Amino acid sequence: MNEVNSSCPSNLVRNTHIVWSCPGARGRTHFYHEPGESFDISIPPGVTDFEAHLTAATSGTQVELTDTATGTNLLGEQGFVNDSVRSTSWGNLTLVFSGGLSRQSWLQWKGAVSDYLSLRVQTDYDHANPNSALHFHTIIMNYSFGSINPCIDSQPAGCLPFDRA
């Protein structure tokens, strides 16, 4: 597993927050968003043993994990794993979650993903601070994942061909 993996091969350019390399990786990424905005991270099939720790500058950050093929919400307020149910099995995955509407969230799965998943992070307004709508929110995500199988090493997910035109 690479200690930090945020680069693509020399003929490709990074187009996502995480480069999904075959041997697995760990790293840190930052998100800057206006209150009320969300962002999605696409997780390709074959990713194993994913873990993420998210720390937000303000409370009210929500995390959801969805199977994009079926629309099934696996993790989050309406998911199989939520504030009340912290761990469950789904297919060949064991999911664990801690967080909710807080400044810190942690999620983990053991096993290999069979379809694309979407990790959505939604920022909220800090209703106790009316000026929060005027400021961008910072979210830091430390992550790690195991190998990807099957592996297409020539173009890792998260990299696209570079065109100077």
Side-chain angles (χ1 to χ4, degrees):
M1 178 182 305
N2 296 327
E3 187 59 34
V4 174
N5 184 34
S6 61
S7 60
C8 296
S10 61
N11 61 331
L12 303 173
V13 63
R14 180 178 170 176
N15 73 332
T16 61
H17 286 95
I18 298 174
V19 173
W20 303 98
S21 63
C22 293
R26 71 180 65 221
R28 171 185 281 208
T29 188
H30 297 78
F31 309 96
Y32 305 98
H33 290 275
E34 292 183 31
E37 283 189 334
S38 64
F39 60 89
D40 296 296
I41 297 172
S42 180
I43 301 167
V47 171
T48 60
D49 303 337
F50 182 80
E51 185 172 328
H53 298 263
L54 293 99
T55 304
T58 62
S59 62
T61 300
Q62 298 179 51
V63 178
E64 292 181 350
L65 184 67
T66 304
D67 180 328
T68 57
T70 63
T72 303
N73 190 336
L74 306 174
L75 180 145
E77 194 172 318
Q78 304 298 317
F80 294 128
V81 182
N82 51 49
D83 288 340
S84 300
V85 179
R86 297 295 187 173
S87 177
T88 194
S89 293
W90 185 77
N92 64 339
L93 299 178
T94 300
L95 301 161
V96 182
F97 174 68
S98 177
L101 291 172
S102 65
R103 294 178 69 161
Q104 296 197 14
S105 296
W106 174 76
L107 65 109
Q108 176 188 60
W109 74 71
K110 294 289 184 188
V113 173
S114 58
D115 289 313
Y116 276 94
L117 299 181
S118 176
L119 177 63
R120 171 169 280 190
V121 179
Q122 172 78 42
T123 60
D124 197 3
Y125 295 100
D126 181 355
H127 298 287
N129 178 3
N131 292 325
S132 74
L134 306 174
H135 304 286
F136 276 81
H137 289 218
T138 302
I139 299 170
I140 299 169
M141 183 172 78
N142 293 303
Y143 64 89
S144 66
F145 61 94
S147 62
I148 299 177
N149 190 6
C151 174
I152 303 171
D153 202 30
S154 61
Q155 184 172 329
C159 299
L160 293 176
F162 179 71
D163 183 5
R164 292 184 187 258

